[in-house]
Each structure stands twice: as C-alpha cells, then as structure tokens.
Amino acid sequence: MVSLIENIDTSNVDDADDSDAPIEVTTKTSKDEKKKKKKTNKTKRRIQYTLATEQDDHPNKKRIDEESALTHLVFGDDDDYLEEITSKAVTHKKTDTIKTDSVTVESKKPAWIDTEEVTEEIVREPNFNQICPRKRQKITTGEYEKKLKFEYERVMGRPAWAEKLLNKTNEEEDSDEELFRRTGNYLTKSSVLRAGTIDCLRCADFKHDVAHSKLLRSVEFHPSARILLTAGRSQYLNLYQVDGKKNERIQSLFFERFSIDTTHFTQDGNQVIVTGDRNFFKVYDMIEGKIMQIPMMRGFEERLGKFELSPDGSLIVFINRNGQLHFVSAKSKELIDTTQISGNINSITFRHDSELMFVAGDEGIVTVFDVRRRAAIHRFVDDGSFSTTSMCVSPNQQYFITGQKSGIVNVYSYDDVLKSGEPKPIKYLKNLTTPIQNVKINSSSELLAINSYHLSRAIRLVHMPTLTVYENFPEFHDKKIQIVNTLDFSPNSGFLTMGNNNGKVLLYRLKHYTNY
C-alpha cells in the first residue's frame, strides 16, 4: 500500500505513527504563515489517502479515492465551491430586489439608435474557462455585454423580473413607450383651419380659346355638381369640368351682341341667369339646353347690371345705379316690386336664411331690409367709409364684412351691426390699398378672400378665427394671377377659383378641406 499525506494545521491532534513511512505533500504558504506556524506549537494532522495497488481487495474503491484526492488538491472541496456560488447568488438577488425598479426602467429598449452618434469601445473578451485559458480577443462593448449576460444566465438562471419583461404583451406595454418606438404621422388632420400659412396646391388652369381672352366678369361653382361657370366681355359663357388635373371645357355658349356682366346658378343648379348691358336678361336652361330672353316690363329702358339671388332661391334682386332695387320672382321671372333708396347702390348681400338683405352705396351707409315686407328696418354707418363697394355675411352669422373704396376691409360682429347705428369693427384689414372688388367668405366661415382689380396680384386670404392674413398666398413667384376681377369658393371649400383681366381662370386646391 502506498499512502499520500497532506499536512494541515490543526490543534489537539496527536502525532501519527512514523512506522507507516508516508509520503508528505505540503502546500505552499506565505512567509507570514510560516512564522505563525513556528510561534504556535500546533501539531500536524495527517490525513492519509491510500492509493490502490494490485494487492488491495477493492481496487475500484481505491481508485475513486485517488481521484477525489487529486480533485481536492486542484479545485478544493465541492462544498466550498457550492457555498461560494450560493453566497454570490444570495447577494445578487438582494441587490436585484432593491434595484428592481431601476433595472426595469433601464432595460427598456431605446426608441431608436443613431449609428452616427453611438460609438462602441473595444475591450478584451472575457475568459470564463479558467482551467484551459486561451488567447483573449478584442471585441466591442456590445458583444462583451452579451457574453456576460449569457454566462450569468447559464450559471444563475434568468431572473423573474426579466421573464416578466420578455413575456410582456403589446397590450400591457406603456402607451408612451409604444408611441415613440416608431416614426410616422401620428396626428390626424385637424378639423380647425390653421393660421399662418395655408396648405394649397396650384391646379391646372381652365382651358380657353384666344377669342375668350378678355376681361372675366363672373366665375361661379355649381351648387352640387363639379362644374364651373365663367363669363365675361368676350360674350362667351363656358362650363368646365372641375377635376384639378385637366379641367376640360364641357360647353361654350355665345351670346350675340350681349356683353356679359353677371351670371349666377339658380339654387337647384338647373338654370343660369345672365345679365349684360341690356334692359332684359337671359336664362340658360341646362336641362333643355336652350336660351330664353326675359324682358323686364313694357317701357323699362334701364340697363340691367349686377344682381343677386336670395339663398332660398325665391328672389332675383337687380341693382340700378340710381338707387333702385328690382325684385323679380326666380320661378316665374316676373317683376314683383321696385324699391328706391337714396344714393347709388354698389353692393347687396343676403343673410343665409334670406330674411334680411343688406344694401350699401357711395355714402358709406348700410341699409338693412326686411325681405318679406321689402322695407328698411335699420341703418348703420360703415366705420371710416365714404363708399362701401362690397359686403358679405358669414354663414354662421358671426361676422359682417365690408370692403371700402379706400382698400380697407372692416370686420364687424354681426350682432353689433343690428343693434348700433355706429358699430365699431373688431378688426381693420389694411393689406390692400386700392378699392375692394370682392369680399367672399367660405361655407365654414373660416376663410375670407378679398381682392382689388386695380393692382396685379391684389388678392389675400384671411384666417377668420384669428383675423390674420395668410403669409404664403399669393406666392411670390406666381405671376399668372395678374389682375383678379372675380373669385369664388366651391360649395365645401375644397377649391378656390379666380378670373383675371386676360380671360384666364386659375384654380387652387385647398388641402385642408377634403370635399368639393
């Protein structure tokens, strides 16, 4: 039998018998430890590990003992290794329980990673195999972190808080975290028109012939169909298909020796009323495709010029420069009544329920008429005006707008003009300096268009909720606008059109409004 002895410092142990002649193997110790051993009279306990030989009765058992002894010398006892791992696990779990919230927050994925800004450091690869060390390579910090995470989970297992994060469904995630994990347009189109700049697109111009290249006096959208009507001094009345791309002409009508001044669709859109420099007017029936000439009355020698249709489609009111208003039935086309006011009449407009009519002239006084009785019920002074050239009432009956010969546009509160004889405007728009030709408000009462025919590109769009003018309209490089003489909004404000002094009809798509 061959014995293997390891010397271990102990106390209260007797010396072993020297007759066995064991082989002593002592572990290396530091100088300080040797001095302590010399000072203390400690005995050595001999632990004998017997090695198997051919003479032993149980060679397999002895061989196992031999392997255990070598393992103990190289790695130490198994209990020590397990105790060390267990103690590390307990301390790690304690720190995890204390810092669970912070770890959970830090473990969330970033919204995005900018490769240009993130720079990873180069570090040496960790060596977890201490028995067979190998050459350590240089890796990035990201790879280094993955290796540490993998080794930790291999030894310790995955923590419970990590499992919860991995198994978390999309419904349980925070709305803010989910919101910022992808890019795109999260905002829906607002139902309120934005101030500052208006989002509009210049569409293809309406096609016209050289013979039509004269001053346009009237442009108007059909109340229901995608059709535009244009007319002017060329004696032509044109109907166009409004699609924003080709805008092809549908029909062209020539009125011989009849210079067209004003045209309007009837409320149902089946007829077009046309006036010129004559003492009669004409009606184009779009269903039957024929033109009818309607005389006013016997002995009527005055020329008919501007006129307005009531919103309910029951009346046609013709304006005479000498202060007369002629009321004609829209159904029978017969003259009903004539009313006289002092001074010349420049403009008339209706309230949207057709119960009240507003009349303005050169004296800067606005007269309010009761349409049913055809009598004046109220008058007020247009502030700062010596001649009011155009007017309109907002569909929501919040604003009353007047345009003056001086180029100033007054915006009143509608209630104020009916209560006071000298109402004060809530806003003076002084963006134009020449006489105002048209003031037109859209169907939602959010957008106001004003223009003057004395200067090129003298047209502005006004944001009514804030009463500010849009900065980007008209665009500086848009030279085709020239002198605008007439304009109109489509029924749902999806398009804006304008006619200039050269017979061209321009079309703009207002992107905020989705419908025609």
Side-chain angles (χ1 to χ4, degrees), residues 318-329:
F318 292 92
I319 301 173
N320 196 314
R321 288 290 298 174
N322 60 8
Q324 289 182 340
L325 296 172
H326 304 289
F327 295 87
V328 176
S329 172

Side-chain angles (χ1 to χ4, degrees), residues 240-471:
Y240 295 92
Q241 177 70 37
V242 181
D243 57 10
K245 297 179 181 179
K246 295 183 179 180
N247 300 325
E248 297 287 349
R249 186 169 56 211
I250 301 174
Q251 192 174 14
S252 182
L253 301 174
F254 180 72
F255 291 80
E256 188 176 0
R257 291 185 296 176
F258 195 84
S259 180
I260 300 174
D261 186 87
T262 308
T263 58
H264 287 297
F265 284 106
T266 56
Q267 186 193 24
D268 56 8
N270 293 333
Q271 294 180 341
V272 180
I273 311 297
V274 184
T275 61
D277 55 354
R278 300 290 186 217
N279 60 350
F280 57 86
F281 64 96
K282 294 188 177 184
V283 177
Y284 171 59
D285 193 323
M286 298 180 64
I287 304 301
E288 298 181 2
K290 64 179 183 180
I291 300 174
M292 298 174 289
Q293 181 173 313
I294 311 296
M296 286 293 291
M297 57 182 294
R298 289 184 180 181
F300 190 87
E301 300 296 335
E302 298 176 3
R303 294 184 178 183
L304 299 177
K306 292 183 179 180
F307 72 94
E308 289 290 338
L309 279 167
S310 62
D312 61 359
S314 60
L315 285 178
I316 307 173
V317 181
F318 292 92
I319 301 173
N320 196 314
R321 288 290 298 174
N322 60 8
Q324 289 182 340
L325 296 172
H326 304 289
F327 295 87
V328 176
S329 172
K331 184 175 182 181
S332 63
K333 308 300 186 295
E334 294 180 354
L335 181 63
I336 300 175
D337 196 2
T338 299
T339 301
Q340 179 78 40
I341 65 171
S342 61
N344 294 328
I345 300 174
N346 295 330
S347 175
I348 64 172
T349 188
F350 286 88
R351 197 169 70 178
H352 284 262
D353 58 4
S354 300
E355 292 183 359
L356 295 181
M357 182 179 68
F358 300 84
V359 182
D362 289 340
E363 297 179 357
I365 297 176
V366 180
T367 304
V368 183
F369 274 85
D370 187 333
V371 175
R372 291 182 180 179
R373 293 185 298 163
R374 287 181 285 279
I377 60 174
H378 179 63
R379 286 183 176 88
F380 66 90
V381 178
D382 188 9
D383 188 64
S385 173
F386 59 88
S387 179
T388 303
T389 56
S390 58
M391 299 180 299
C392 71
V393 181
S394 63
N396 60 0
Q397 296 185 16
Q398 182 179 359
Y399 304 106
F400 183 83
I401 302 118
T402 63
Q404 302 177 6
K405 195 172 183 179
S406 61
I408 296 176
V409 175
N410 291 339
V411 181
Y412 296 93
S413 171
Y414 177 77
D415 294 334
D416 291 345
V417 299
L418 294 181
K419 296 177 181 179
S420 174
E422 297 181 356
K424 295 298 181 182
I426 58 178
K427 182 70 175 182
Y428 297 94
L429 298 174
K430 303 178 181 179
N431 301 88
L432 300 178
T433 58
T434 54
I436 302 298
Q437 174 76 0
N438 296 286
V439 288
K440 185 83 174 181
I441 195 165
N442 74 330
S443 58
S444 64
S445 303
E446 294 178 309
L447 194 60
L448 173 70
I450 59 176
N451 82 286
S452 174
Y453 60 89
H454 286 79
L455 291 177
S456 178
R457 303 174 69 252
I459 180 172
R460 299 292 185 270
L461 294 180
V462 182
H463 182 252
M464 292 305 294
T466 59
L467 295 176
T468 56
V469 176
Y470 283 100
E471 303 171 357

Side-chain angles (χ1 to χ4, degrees), residues 18-273:
D18 295 338
S19 60
D20 294 335
I23 299 174
E24 257 183 30
V25 179
T26 60
T27 58
K28 293 182 180 181
T29 57
S30 61
K31 293 181 179 180
D32 295 335
E33 291 177 351
K34 288 182 179 180
K35 289 179 181 180
K36 290 180 182 179
K37 288 180 182 180
K38 290 180 181 180
K39 291 180 182 180
T40 57
N41 296 326
K42 294 182 180 180
T43 59
K44 295 182 178 180
R45 178 171 62 87
R46 296 179 181 179
I47 300 176
Q48 180 173 326
Y49 299 93
T50 57
L51 302 178
T53 59
E54 295 179 355
Q55 299 177 359
D56 294 335
D57 297 335
H58 303 284
N60 293 332
K61 184 177 180 181
K62 302 302 180 182
R63 192 174 293 106
I64 293 172
D65 294 340
E66 178 183 356
E67 292 176 358
S68 300
L70 292 174
T71 303
H72 175 75
L73 290 176
V74 177
F75 302 106
D77 291 339
D78 294 338
D79 295 339
D80 298 338
Y81 177 70
L82 294 175
E83 183 179 355
E84 182 180 359
I85 293 177
T86 305
S87 62
K88 290 182 179 179
V90 171
T91 56
H92 190 75
K93 286 181 180 179
K94 288 181 179 180
T95 56
D96 282 347
T97 55
I98 295 173
K99 301 179 180 180
T100 301
D101 296 335
S102 61
V103 171
T104 303
V105 174
E106 295 175 357
S107 63
K108 290 183 178 180
K109 295 181 180 180
W112 61 79
I113 297 176
D114 193 345
T115 56
E116 296 181 357
E117 295 182 0
V118 177
T119 56
E120 293 187 345
E121 298 180 359
I122 305 299
V123 296
R124 289 188 176 275
E125 182 182 10
N127 185 13
F128 299 106
N129 192 350
Q130 301 293 338
I131 299 176
C132 301
R134 57 186 178 84
K135 187 177 180 179
R136 300 171 65 184
Q137 299 179 354
K138 291 183 178 181
I139 59 175
T140 61
T141 54
E143 295 176 347
Y144 183 81
E145 182 182 354
K146 289 181 181 179
K147 287 183 178 291
L148 290 177
K149 182 179 178 181
F150 174 78
E151 190 64 23
Y152 176 82
E153 291 182 354
R154 187 179 67 84
V155 176
M156 300 300 300
R158 184 173 293 169
W161 58 266
E163 289 286 352
K164 290 181 180 180
L165 287 178
L166 292 174
N167 296 331
K168 198 173 187 181
T169 59
N170 294 332
E171 292 79 6
E172 294 174 348
E173 291 183 355
D174 295 336
S175 59
D176 292 343
E177 179 185 357
E178 186 65 23
L179 181 66
F180 293 108
R181 280 192 178 179
R182 62 185 180 90
T183 59
N185 187 11
Y186 287 92
L187 301 178
T188 58
K189 186 174 289 187
S190 175
S191 59
V192 180
L193 183 64
R194 186 182 62 180
T197 58
I198 188 168
D199 189 7
C200 63
L201 175 66
R202 173 72 181 273
C203 301
D205 296 342
F206 291 95
K207 301 182 183 301
H208 68 287
D209 298 332
V210 178
H212 303 169
S213 299
K214 292 185 179 181
L215 177 66
L216 282 175
R217 299 301 301 270
S218 180
V219 293
E220 187 176 36
F221 286 98
H222 192 276
S224 57
R226 297 174 69 96
I227 297 174
L228 178 72
L229 178 150
T230 68
R233 294 294 175 86
S234 64
Q235 305 179 42
Y236 278 93
L237 186 149
N238 298 313
L239 297 176
Y240 295 92
Q241 177 70 37
V242 181
D243 57 10
K245 297 179 181 179
K246 295 183 179 180
N247 300 325
E248 297 287 349
R249 186 169 56 211
I250 301 174
Q251 192 174 14
S252 182
L253 301 174
F254 180 72
F255 291 80
E256 188 176 0
R257 291 185 296 176
F258 195 84
S259 180
I260 300 174
D261 186 87
T262 308
T263 58
H264 287 297
F265 284 106
T266 56
Q267 186 193 24
D268 56 8
N270 293 333
Q271 294 180 341
V272 180
I273 311 297

Side-chain angles (χ1 to χ4, degrees), residues 497-509:
T497 186
M498 59 189 73
N500 64 15
N501 58 326
N502 289 331
K504 293 183 179 179
V505 185
L506 312 181
L507 184 67
Y508 292 85
R509 176 73 175 91

